[in-house]
Amino acid sequence: MIKVANSEELEQLLNRLSQDYKIAAPVVKRKGRKERIEYEYIDSPGEITLERQPDSSPKKFFLPQNERMEVEVAGAPGTEDKQKTILFGVRSCDLEALKVLDDVFLDDNYIDAYYQQHRENIIIIGLSCSEGKPSCFCGTLGIDPVKNDSAPIFLYQRGDRYYFKVYDEEYAYLLEDLPEGDEGELAEIVEERAASFAENNFTLDLPVPLPEETTFSAPFWGDLAEKCLGCGVCTYYCPTCYCFGFFWEQGEKSRCWDSCMFASFTKHASGHNPRRSQDQRYRQRVMHKYSYHPENYGRLACTGCGRCLDNCPVNLDIRSVLKTVESYLQEKGGVKSG
Amino acid sequence: MENNYKKLTEEIRGFAFELLKDGKVDRVIGYGKEEYSGEVTPLFITAPDESNRLIFNSECSMLLAKYLLNYRESRVAIVAKPCDTRAIASYLAENLLKRENLVIIGINGCPGITGNTACIECTVRNPVIFDFTAGEAIDKAELSPRVANELEEMTAAERLAYFQEEFSRCIRCYACREACYVCYCEECFTDSNQPFWVGGSVKLKDNFTFHLMRSMHMAGRCINCGACEMACPEGIDVRALPAKLTRVARELYNYEAGMDPEQKTLLTDYDVNDPQPGFLD
Amino acid sequence: MNQADTKQIDTFEPKILAFLCNWCSYAAADLAGSSRIQYPPNIRVIRVPCSGRIDPLLIIKAFNSGADGVLVSGCHPGDCHYTDGNMYARRRFVMLKELLTFAGVEEERVNFTWCSASEGKRFAGIVREVVDRVKKVGPWKGFAGPAGQGFLEREGELAGGK
C-alpha cells in the first residue's frame, strides 16, 4: 500500500501522531563548533531535516549510552515511561544495523529485556536515501540505500511529495488520513535512485565471513592500525557496536557503552591484558564485524554507513583496511570460507 | 612570508627520501592521504620510494609527536609542525625520548590549520627544535595572535552554564585524551577504580568532572596546540580549560611549556617567591 | 546536622572538606581544640602527611561528591617538614583555583592557607572565615546543577530518594 502526502499534510500527520506518540527524528543541532544532525525527540515537525545522513546513529534509542538497571535481575526492565515512540527517517544502513543488534539482544537463548522493551516501544518509519555521502559504502556490502522492507513503513521523499510504502499493514492505521498513492510513481523514484547509486567506486571481493585464522594471523594489522589513537569514536558512532560495561554508583547500577578500542576493555583484574596493543584491538573490531558476527549470525556486522571514518580523529578509513585484507586473501590463493 | 604547500610538500619528500635512502632512519612519520576518502591522515613510511606519498597542507591537523612514543627504540624522522616540536621538546624534557634517535623535519612559518581555533592564538610559528626545516621562517614581529577570550569576560555563572552546555554533549569517547600529547599515562585516572576518581557514565556531573580532572593534568604542560579540540567528534570546546591554564602559567610564572628540552615542567619546579593569589592570609 | 537543613539557605550549614597537613595545620587544629577555642563544626578534616600529597583531583572529586567548600592548609612556606612539599603544592593549588573559578565554581569555595602548629587561635579564625565565605555563596549546586538548586535536591538518591 502506498500513501502520499505533501509537506503540509506530513506536518499535520506528525502533529496528530504527536498526541499519542513521542516523535524522534533527525534534527539540526548547531551547538559548539560543528553542525550536527542527530536523532532527537522533537517538539514540532518543523525541526525535522531529512537532508543527509544523521551524524550519530539511532542506536541510542534502543541501547542508551547510559541506562539505569532498575533491578539487578535479568528479565526485569525499568519502570520508565512506556509511551510509544515513532522514530522517523531511519535510513537503510541504520535499519540493517538494528538487525545486528537484534541478533545479539534478542537471541532466543538470551533475550535482553531492556533492549526488548525499547524495541517494542519504538515504531520505525524508514527513509530512502536520495544521495550518498563520500564515505558511504552500503551498496558495496549488499545493502540497498533506496528501499528497505525491514521497517513497517518506509518513506520516499521527492521534492514536496512524500510517498509512504506500508510494508506492515498492522501499522497502516498511522497513516489512515492520507490518500492512497500510485505504485508506478514510486517505482519510478526507486528506479531513478537505483541508477544514481549504481556507479560505485568502491568494490570488494571478500569471503564472508572472513576466514578467521588466515585473517587473524595476517601480518598487516600492525601497519594498518599504526595511526589508530585508541579512542572510542568509531565504536560509539557505529550503529552496530553494542558492547557495554556496568557501573555502580551509590547503589545504582547502570549499563554504559564500552569500546573494544580502549585498552581497559579487556584488562583483567590481575593486570594482564590479552589485547596488549592497539593493532590487536583494531583487529578485533574488524574481525568482529566481518568474521565473528557473520560466523555466528550469518550477517555482516557492518552496514557501510561510513560514520567511523567521518568522525575518526585521524581519518582511519575502514575501506582501505578491507582492501588490504582483500588483496592479502587473494594472494593467499583465494581462501573461501565454508 | 607566505609558504606554499606544494613547495613544503616537495621539501619534506626530499628530506624523507634522503634519510631513508641513506639508512639514517628506519621510518618517517608524516602526513598522507587516505586512498578512498582523500582525507589527510598520519602516514608511516619505511622505504625511500614511498616518500612521494607524503604531503603537507592546511588540513594536517593531527599531532604526530604522540606517535613517537610507540617508537622509542628505533630511529625515526618526523614531520613536525611548530606545535609538534614543542611536544617533542616536552617529551625530551621528561626523558621519554632519545634525541639521538630522532630526526625532526620542522615546518617553518606554520600558516595554521584549517578549523583549529588554537592557531589563532599561536605565538610559536617556527619549530623550537629541529634537524631540518621546510619552508621560510616567519618573523615573530609579523604575528598578531589573538589572545583575548570571550570566556574571560563572562561571569562565573555564565561560564558554568557555558561549560555545562558544552560538556553535556560529551560522549566520553576519550578522543581528546588520546589525541593529546600529554596523555601518555599507562593507566588513565578515568580507568582507575582504585582509587576511583570519576564515574564512566555520561552524566553531566561526571562529564564535567572528567574535563576538570583532564585539564588539571594539563596544567603547565599544555602547549595549546588544539589537538583535543580537533579530535572531538562532537565539536566540544575541550581546549578552553587547559588553554586558560597556559595563560595563567604565562602570566603568573612567565612559563611556556615545551620551549626547551632542558626545561623543567611548571609543577615539578618552584620558586620560594612564587606568587600565591587567592590564598587566605 | 540534618541533611534536610542543607536545603534551606537561611539555615544553611555548609559541609567543608579540610585537608590538613599532619605536621603544622593538623597540629594547629589540635591546639585549637585543647585550648578550648570555639570554631564552627562545619569542617570535616582529612589528615594528610603533607600539603604536597594532596592531589588536585581529590579536590575536584570533593566538589563532584557534593562538598560545599574545600579548605587546604599546610605548613608556612619554608617550614615544610619535608623541606619543600608545600612549595610544589603552592603552584598546584594556584593552578587548580584558577581552573575551578574559570569553570564557574565560586572563588569562595576554594580556600588555601598556611597555618603553623602554634597558631591554634589563627586556625579557628580561618575556619570561621572559610565558613562565612561559603555561607555567603550558598549551597554548592554541583557541576550539573541549574542555578538556585541545592546539590542534595538534585542528587535525590543522596537525600533519600526524594
Side-chain angles (χ1 to χ4, degrees), chain C residues 78-114:
Chain C
D79 290 347
C80 181
H81 187 80
Y82 306 101
T83 317
D84 54 4
N86 55 2
M87 293 292 191
Y88 291 109
R90 179 159 64 180
R91 282 195 167 182
R92 242 178 267 158
F93 295 150
V94 167
M95 293 306 252
L96 176 67
K97 184 157 184 167
E98 292 282 354
L99 176 71
L100 287 173
T101 50
F102 189 68
V105 179
E106 292 91 342
E107 183 264 331
E108 285 82 355
R109 299 189 194 279
V110 195
N111 301 286
F112 303 112
T113 192
W114 314 117

mmCIF file of all heavy atoms in Angstrom, chain C residues 78-114:
data_model
loop_
_atom_site.group_PDB
_atom_site.id
_atom_site.type_symbol
_atom_site.label_atom_id
_atom_site.label_comp_id
_atom_site.label_asym_id
_atom_site.label_seq_id
_atom_site.Cartn_x
_atom_site.Cartn_y
_atom_site.Cartn_z
ATOM 1 N N GLY C 78 58.639 27.377 53.600
ATOM 2 C CA GLY C 78 59.916 27.392 54.299
ATOM 3 C C GLY C 78 59.915 26.512 55.526
ATOM 4 O O GLY C 78 60.965 26.125 56.022
ATOM 5 N N ASP C 79 58.727 26.182 56.051
ATOM 6 C CA ASP C 79 58.648 25.389 57.272
ATOM 7 C C ASP C 79 58.248 23.949 57.021
ATOM 8 O O ASP C 79 57.956 23.222 57.955
ATOM 9 C CB ASP C 79 57.610 26.006 58.228
ATOM 10 C CG ASP C 79 58.091 27.331 58.791
ATOM 11 O OD1 ASP C 79 59.291 27.615 58.622
ATOM 12 O OD2 ASP C 79 57.282 28.053 59.380
ATOM 13 N N CYS C 80 58.183 23.533 55.761
ATOM 14 C CA CYS C 80 57.659 22.201 55.460
ATOM 15 C C CYS C 80 58.505 21.127 56.139
ATOM 16 O O CYS C 80 59.736 21.179 56.124
ATOM 17 C CB CYS C 80 57.635 21.969 53.949
ATOM 18 S SG CYS C 80 56.987 20.358 53.484
ATOM 19 N N HIS C 81 57.825 20.154 56.715
ATOM 20 C CA HIS C 81 58.509 19.045 57.361
ATOM 21 C C HIS C 81 59.365 18.278 56.361
ATOM 22 O O HIS C 81 60.348 17.650 56.726
ATOM 23 C CB HIS C 81 57.458 18.130 57.983
ATOM 24 C CG HIS C 81 58.026 17.029 58.818
ATOM 25 N ND1 HIS C 81 58.453 17.227 60.111
ATOM 26 C CD2 HIS C 81 58.242 15.721 58.543
ATOM 27 C CE1 HIS C 81 58.911 16.087 60.601
ATOM 28 N NE2 HIS C 81 58.795 15.148 59.664
ATOM 29 N N TYR C 82 58.924 18.299 55.120
ATOM 30 C CA TYR C 82 59.673 17.606 54.066
ATOM 31 C C TYR C 82 60.410 18.605 53.168
ATOM 32 O O TYR C 82 60.506 18.431 51.966
ATOM 33 C CB TYR C 82 58.731 16.727 53.241
ATOM 34 C CG TYR C 82 57.932 15.786 54.099
ATOM 35 C CD1 TYR C 82 56.613 16.065 54.432
ATOM 36 C CD2 TYR C 82 58.507 14.630 54.597
ATOM 37 C CE1 TYR C 82 55.889 15.217 55.244
ATOM 38 C CE2 TYR C 82 57.792 13.776 55.417
ATOM 39 C CZ TYR C 82 56.483 14.066 55.735
ATOM 40 O OH TYR C 82 55.768 13.224 56.545
ATOM 41 N N THR C 83 60.856 19.686 53.764
ATOM 42 C CA THR C 83 61.632 20.739 53.120
ATOM 43 C C THR C 83 60.829 21.606 52.147
ATOM 44 O O THR C 83 60.701 22.801 52.343
ATOM 45 C CB THR C 83 62.859 20.184 52.358
ATOM 46 O OG1 THR C 83 63.472 19.198 53.168
ATOM 47 C CG2 THR C 83 63.850 21.280 52.054
ATOM 48 N N ASP C 84 60.276 20.969 51.066
ATOM 49 C CA ASP C 84 59.655 21.830 50.062
ATOM 50 C C ASP C 84 58.350 21.276 49.490
ATOM 51 O O ASP C 84 57.927 21.676 48.423
ATOM 52 C CB ASP C 84 60.647 22.128 48.926
ATOM 53 C CG ASP C 84 61.222 20.869 48.313
ATOM 54 O OD1 ASP C 84 60.792 19.769 48.715
ATOM 55 O OD2 ASP C 84 62.099 20.980 47.441
ATOM 56 N N GLY C 85 57.712 20.354 50.226
ATOM 57 C CA GLY C 85 56.450 19.797 49.723
ATOM 58 C C GLY C 85 55.414 20.866 49.499
ATOM 59 O O GLY C 85 54.686 20.861 48.487
ATOM 60 N N ASN C 86 55.338 21.828 50.401
ATOM 61 C CA ASN C 86 54.309 22.873 50.246
ATOM 62 C C ASN C 86 54.641 23.842 49.123
ATOM 63 O O ASN C 86 53.761 24.489 48.571
ATOM 64 C CB ASN C 86 54.065 23.603 51.573
ATOM 65 C CG ASN C 86 55.342 24.184 52.155
ATOM 66 O OD1 ASN C 86 56.409 24.074 51.545
ATOM 67 N ND2 ASN C 86 55.235 24.811 53.319
ATOM 68 N N MET C 87 55.929 23.905 48.755
ATOM 69 C CA MET C 87 56.313 24.773 47.629
ATOM 70 C C MET C 87 55.727 24.236 46.316
ATOM 71 O O MET C 87 55.223 24.980 45.488
ATOM 72 C CB MET C 87 57.833 24.831 47.502
ATOM 73 C CG MET C 87 58.498 25.524 48.651
ATOM 74 S SD MET C 87 58.100 27.263 48.639
ATOM 75 C CE MET C 87 59.240 27.840 49.834
ATOM 76 N N TYR C 88 55.835 22.901 46.172
ATOM 77 C CA TYR C 88 55.229 22.290 44.985
ATOM 78 C C TYR C 88 53.716 22.434 45.042
ATOM 79 O O TYR C 88 53.064 22.722 44.039
ATOM 80 C CB TYR C 88 55.607 20.799 44.908
ATOM 81 C CG TYR C 88 57.063 20.555 44.595
ATOM 82 C CD1 TYR C 88 57.929 20.067 45.559
ATOM 83 C CD2 TYR C 88 57.551 20.808 43.321
ATOM 84 C CE1 TYR C 88 59.258 19.838 45.276
ATOM 85 C CE2 TYR C 88 58.889 20.584 43.022
ATOM 86 C CZ TYR C 88 59.737 20.095 44.003
ATOM 87 O OH TYR C 88 61.052 19.871 43.711
ATOM 88 N N ALA C 89 53.182 22.223 46.247
ATOM 89 C CA ALA C 89 51.729 22.289 46.403
ATOM 90 C C ALA C 89 51.211 23.669 46.021
ATOM 91 O O ALA C 89 50.153 23.801 45.416
ATOM 92 C CB ALA C 89 51.348 21.964 47.841
ATOM 93 N N ARG C 90 51.976 24.706 46.359
ATOM 94 C CA ARG C 90 51.508 26.070 46.125
ATOM 95 C C ARG C 90 51.191 26.310 44.658
ATOM 96 O O ARG C 90 50.127 26.811 44.310
ATOM 97 C CB ARG C 90 52.561 27.062 46.619
ATOM 98 C CG ARG C 90 52.161 28.494 46.392
ATOM 99 C CD ARG C 90 52.901 29.425 47.288
ATOM 100 N NE ARG C 90 54.344 29.406 47.011
ATOM 101 C CZ ARG C 90 55.223 30.147 47.676
ATOM 102 N NH1 ARG C 90 54.809 30.962 48.642
ATOM 103 N NH2 ARG C 90 56.502 30.093 47.384
ATOM 104 N N ARG C 91 52.115 25.920 43.777
ATOM 105 C CA ARG C 91 51.860 26.121 42.343
ATOM 106 C C ARG C 91 50.622 25.336 41.900
ATOM 107 O O ARG C 91 49.802 25.801 41.127
ATOM 108 C CB ARG C 91 53.066 25.667 41.521
ATOM 109 C CG ARG C 91 54.182 26.675 41.551
ATOM 110 C CD ARG C 91 55.187 26.388 40.458
ATOM 111 N NE ARG C 91 56.088 27.538 40.319
ATOM 112 C CZ ARG C 91 57.052 27.613 39.422
ATOM 113 N NH1 ARG C 91 57.259 26.611 38.590
ATOM 114 N NH2 ARG C 91 57.805 28.667 39.342
ATOM 115 N N ARG C 92 50.550 24.114 42.412
ATOM 116 C CA ARG C 92 49.426 23.260 42.033
ATOM 117 C C ARG C 92 48.104 23.900 42.440
ATOM 118 O O ARG C 92 47.150 23.918 41.668
ATOM 119 C CB ARG C 92 49.571 21.937 42.781
ATOM 120 C CG ARG C 92 49.743 20.754 41.879
ATOM 121 C CD ARG C 92 49.935 19.518 42.693
ATOM 122 N NE ARG C 92 51.340 19.230 42.915
ATOM 123 C CZ ARG C 92 51.801 18.481 43.908
ATOM 124 N NH1 ARG C 92 50.962 17.945 44.778
ATOM 125 N NH2 ARG C 92 53.077 18.252 44.021
ATOM 126 N N PHE C 93 48.053 24.433 43.667
ATOM 127 C CA PHE C 93 46.789 24.984 44.146
ATOM 128 C C PHE C 93 46.425 26.266 43.419
ATOM 129 O O PHE C 93 45.251 26.534 43.178
ATOM 130 C CB PHE C 93 46.850 25.223 45.662
ATOM 131 C CG PHE C 93 47.004 23.961 46.448
ATOM 132 C CD1 PHE C 93 47.677 23.948 47.664
ATOM 133 C CD2 PHE C 93 46.489 22.763 45.970
ATOM 134 C CE1 PHE C 93 47.832 22.769 48.377
ATOM 135 C CE2 PHE C 93 46.633 21.577 46.677
ATOM 136 C CZ PHE C 93 47.315 21.587 47.889
ATOM 137 N N VAL C 94 47.433 27.055 43.089
ATOM 138 C CA VAL C 94 47.140 28.273 42.322
ATOM 139 C C VAL C 94 46.499 27.886 40.989
ATOM 140 O O VAL C 94 45.475 28.445 40.589
ATOM 141 C CB VAL C 94 48.423 29.100 42.090
ATOM 142 C CG1 VAL C 94 48.194 30.181 41.050
ATOM 143 C CG2 VAL C 94 48.900 29.719 43.397
ATOM 144 N N MET C 95 47.090 26.896 40.323
ATOM 145 C CA MET C 95 46.540 26.455 39.038
ATOM 146 C C MET C 95 45.138 25.884 39.224
ATOM 147 O O MET C 95 44.225 26.149 38.444
ATOM 148 C CB MET C 95 47.442 25.393 38.390
ATOM 149 C CG MET C 95 48.795 25.890 37.962
ATOM 150 S SD MET C 95 48.696 27.323 36.892
ATOM 151 C CE MET C 95 49.163 26.642 35.343
ATOM 152 N N LEU C 96 44.971 25.085 40.266
ATOM 153 C CA LEU C 96 43.657 24.464 40.494
ATOM 154 C C LEU C 96 42.590 25.517 40.739
ATOM 155 O O LEU C 96 41.485 25.451 40.203
ATOM 156 C CB LEU C 96 43.724 23.510 41.692
ATOM 157 C CG LEU C 96 42.380 22.886 42.059
ATOM 158 C CD1 LEU C 96 41.910 21.938 40.965
ATOM 159 C CD2 LEU C 96 42.454 22.149 43.381
ATOM 160 N N LYS C 97 42.949 26.499 41.535
ATOM 161 C CA LYS C 97 41.954 27.532 41.846
ATOM 162 C C LYS C 97 41.578 28.308 40.595
ATOM 163 O O LYS C 97 40.407 28.597 40.359
ATOM 164 C CB LYS C 97 42.487 28.468 42.931
ATOM 165 C CG LYS C 97 41.458 29.484 43.354
ATOM 166 C CD LYS C 97 41.716 30.045 44.733
ATOM 167 C CE LYS C 97 40.559 30.968 45.076
ATOM 168 N NZ LYS C 97 40.540 31.327 46.474
ATOM 169 N N GLU C 98 42.565 28.620 39.786
ATOM 170 C CA GLU C 98 42.287 29.320 38.526
ATOM 171 C C GLU C 98 41.368 28.476 37.649
ATOM 172 O O GLU C 98 40.448 28.978 37.018
ATOM 173 C CB GLU C 98 43.587 29.612 37.771
ATOM 174 C CG GLU C 98 44.483 30.643 38.445
ATOM 175 C CD GLU C 98 43.990 32.060 38.211
ATOM 176 O OE1 GLU C 98 43.032 32.234 37.442
ATOM 177 O OE2 GLU C 98 44.578 32.983 38.826
ATOM 178 N N LEU C 99 41.645 27.170 37.628
ATOM 179 C CA LEU C 99 40.846 26.269 36.785
ATOM 180 C C LEU C 99 39.405 26.217 37.275
ATOM 181 O O LEU C 99 38.461 26.375 36.494
ATOM 182 C CB LEU C 99 41.457 24.865 36.802
ATOM 183 C CG LEU C 99 40.679 23.793 36.046
ATOM 184 C CD1 LEU C 99 40.781 24.022 34.546
ATOM 185 C CD2 LEU C 99 41.175 22.397 36.390
ATOM 186 N N LEU C 100 39.241 26.009 38.589
ATOM 187 C CA LEU C 100 37.882 25.857 39.121
ATOM 188 C C LEU C 100 37.082 27.149 38.976
ATOM 189 O O LEU C 100 35.909 27.119 38.597
ATOM 190 C CB LEU C 100 37.940 25.427 40.587
ATOM 191 C CG LEU C 100 38.361 23.972 40.815
ATOM 192 C CD1 LEU C 100 38.544 23.691 42.297
ATOM 193 C CD2 LEU C 100 37.358 23.005 40.220
ATOM 194 N N THR C 101 37.725 28.286 39.258
ATOM 195 C CA THR C 101 36.966 29.533 39.146
ATOM 196 C C THR C 101 36.645 29.831 37.684
ATOM 197 O O THR C 101 35.581 30.330 37.373
ATOM 198 C CB THR C 101 37.725 30.726 39.770
ATOM 199 O OG1 THR C 101 39.052 30.729 39.249
ATOM 200 C CG2 THR C 101 37.771 30.612 41.266
ATOM 201 N N PHE C 102 37.555 29.443 36.789
ATOM 202 C CA PHE C 102 37.265 29.662 35.366
ATOM 203 C C PHE C 102 36.110 28.785 34.908
ATOM 204 O O PHE C 102 35.311 29.161 34.055
ATOM 205 C CB PHE C 102 38.516 29.354 34.527
ATOM 206 C CG PHE C 102 38.394 29.748 33.085
ATOM 207 C CD1 PHE C 102 38.319 31.087 32.725
ATOM 208 C CD2 PHE C 102 38.355 28.791 32.089
ATOM 209 C CE1 PHE C 102 38.203 31.459 31.391
ATOM 210 C CE2 PHE C 102 38.239 29.161 30.760
ATOM 211 C CZ PHE C 102 38.161 30.494 30.408
ATOM 212 N N ALA C 103 36.013 27.588 35.487
ATOM 213 C CA ALA C 103 34.926 26.677 35.109
ATOM 214 C C ALA C 103 33.617 27.074 35.765
ATOM 215 O O ALA C 103 32.599 26.431 35.528
ATOM 216 C CB ALA C 103 35.293 25.244 35.467
ATOM 217 N N GLY C 104 33.647 28.087 36.611
ATOM 218 C CA GLY C 104 32.394 28.589 37.161
ATOM 219 C C GLY C 104 32.147 28.255 38.621
ATOM 220 O O GLY C 104 31.081 28.528 39.144
ATOM 221 N N VAL C 105 33.127 27.655 39.294
ATOM 222 C CA VAL C 105 32.995 27.411 40.725
ATOM 223 C C VAL C 105 33.314 28.727 41.435
ATOM 224 O O VAL C 105 34.294 29.380 41.102
ATOM 225 C CB VAL C 105 33.975 26.307 41.188
ATOM 226 C CG1 VAL C 105 33.853 26.076 42.676
ATOM 227 C CG2 VAL C 105 33.723 25.031 40.416
ATOM 228 N N GLU C 106 32.466 29.104 42.406
ATOM 229 C CA GLU C 106 32.710 30.377 43.091
ATOM 230 C C GLU C 106 34.053 30.335 43.800
ATOM 231 O O GLU C 106 34.405 29.336 44.435
ATOM 232 C CB GLU C 106 31.603 30.686 44.106
ATOM 233 C CG GLU C 106 30.255 30.976 43.484
ATOM 234 C CD GLU C 106 29.407 29.711 43.338
ATOM 235 O OE1 GLU C 106 29.993 28.606 43.392
ATOM 236 O OE2 GLU C 106 28.191 29.833 43.168
ATOM 237 N N GLU C 107 34.733 31.453 43.728
ATOM 238 C CA GLU C 107 36.068 31.581 44.305
ATOM 239 C C GLU C 107 36.041 31.264 45.807
ATOM 240 O O GLU C 107 36.968 30.687 46.359
ATOM 241 C CB GLU C 107 36.544 33.013 44.024
ATOM 242 C CG GLU C 107 37.918 33.382 44.452
ATOM 243 C CD GLU C 107 37.933 34.064 45.806
ATOM 244 O OE1 GLU C 107 36.939 34.746 46.182
ATOM 245 O OE2 GLU C 107 38.940 33.896 46.487
ATOM 246 N N GLU C 108 34.915 31.617 46.471
ATOM 247 C CA GLU C 108 34.811 31.463 47.934
ATOM 248 C C GLU C 108 34.855 30.002 48.389
ATOM 249 O O GLU C 108 35.112 29.720 49.550
ATOM 250 C CB GLU C 108 33.511 32.105 48.434
ATOM 251 C CG GLU C 108 33.519 33.622 48.474
ATOM 252 C CD GLU C 108 33.222 34.254 47.121
ATOM 253 O OE1 GLU C 108 33.102 33.504 46.126
ATOM 254 O OE2 GLU C 108 33.123 35.492 47.056
ATOM 255 N N ARG C 109 34.581 29.083 47.477
ATOM 256 C CA ARG C 109 34.527 27.674 47.896
ATOM 257 C C ARG C 109 35.903 27.019 47.948
ATOM 258 O O ARG C 109 36.083 25.972 48.541
ATOM 259 C CB ARG C 109 33.672 26.865 46.910
ATOM 260 C CG ARG C 109 32.259 27.331 46.816
ATOM 261 C CD ARG C 109 31.431 26.359 45.990
ATOM 262 N NE ARG C 109 30.171 26.967 45.629
ATOM 263 C CZ ARG C 109 29.136 27.029 46.439
ATOM 264 N NH1 ARG C 109 29.215 26.521 47.655
ATOM 265 N NH2 ARG C 109 28.021 27.629 46.064
ATOM 266 N N VAL C 110 36.868 27.638 47.291
ATOM 267 C CA VAL C 110 38.180 27.009 47.163
ATOM 268 C C VAL C 110 39.175 27.802 47.999
ATOM 269 O O VAL C 110 39.542 28.916 47.650
ATOM 270 C CB VAL C 110 38.631 27.008 45.676
ATOM 271 C CG1 VAL C 110 39.788 26.058 45.482
ATOM 272 C CG2 VAL C 110 37.482 26.654 44.758
ATOM 273 N N ASN C 111 39.568 27.249 49.126
ATOM 274 C CA ASN C 111 40.378 28.018 50.064
ATOM 275 C C ASN C 111 41.697 27.341 50.378
ATOM 276 O O ASN C 111 41.724 26.145 50.688
ATOM 277 C CB ASN C 111 39.588 28.210 51.369
ATOM 278 C CG ASN C 111 38.285 28.930 51.131
ATOM 279 O OD1 ASN C 111 38.247 30.130 50.889
ATOM 280 N ND2 ASN C 111 37.196 28.176 51.167
ATOM 281 N N PHE C 112 42.753 28.125 50.289
ATOM 282 C CA PHE C 112 44.076 27.619 50.635
ATOM 283 C C PHE C 112 44.713 28.555 51.635
ATOM 284 O O PHE C 112 44.532 29.771 51.560
ATOM 285 C CB PHE C 112 44.972 27.536 49.393
ATOM 286 C CG PHE C 112 44.393 26.679 48.310
ATOM 287 C CD1 PHE C 112 43.968 27.230 47.120
ATOM 288 C CD2 PHE C 112 44.256 25.311 48.500
ATOM 289 C CE1 PHE C 112 43.422 26.437 46.121
ATOM 290 C CE2 PHE C 112 43.713 24.513 47.513
ATOM 291 C CZ PHE C 112 43.292 25.078 46.321
ATOM 292 N N THR C 113 45.448 27.980 52.561
ATOM 293 C CA THR C 113 46.166 28.835 53.505
ATOM 294 C C THR C 113 47.323 28.053 54.110
ATOM 295 O O THR C 113 47.488 26.861 53.867
ATOM 296 C CB THR C 113 45.216 29.354 54.602
ATOM 297 O OG1 THR C 113 45.879 30.387 55.327
ATOM 298 C CG2 THR C 113 44.813 28.245 55.565
ATOM 299 N N TRP C 114 48.125 28.748 54.896
ATOM 300 C CA TRP C 114 49.214 28.115 55.633
ATOM 301 C C TRP C 114 48.963 28.358 57.113
ATOM 302 O O TRP C 114 48.534 29.438 57.497
ATOM 303 C CB TRP C 114 50.578 28.708 55.252
ATOM 304 C CG TRP C 114 50.814 28.867 53.773
ATOM 305 C CD1 TRP C 114 51.017 30.050 53.125
ATOM 306 C CD2 TRP C 114 50.894 27.842 52.791
ATOM 307 N NE1 TRP C 114 51.218 29.818 51.782
ATOM 308 C CE2 TRP C 114 51.143 28.462 51.540
ATOM 309 C CE3 TRP C 114 50.787 26.460 52.828
ATOM 310 C CZ2 TRP C 114 51.275 27.747 50.359
ATOM 311 C CZ3 TRP C 114 50.918 25.742 51.655
ATOM 312 C CH2 TRP C 114 51.167 26.387 50.435
#
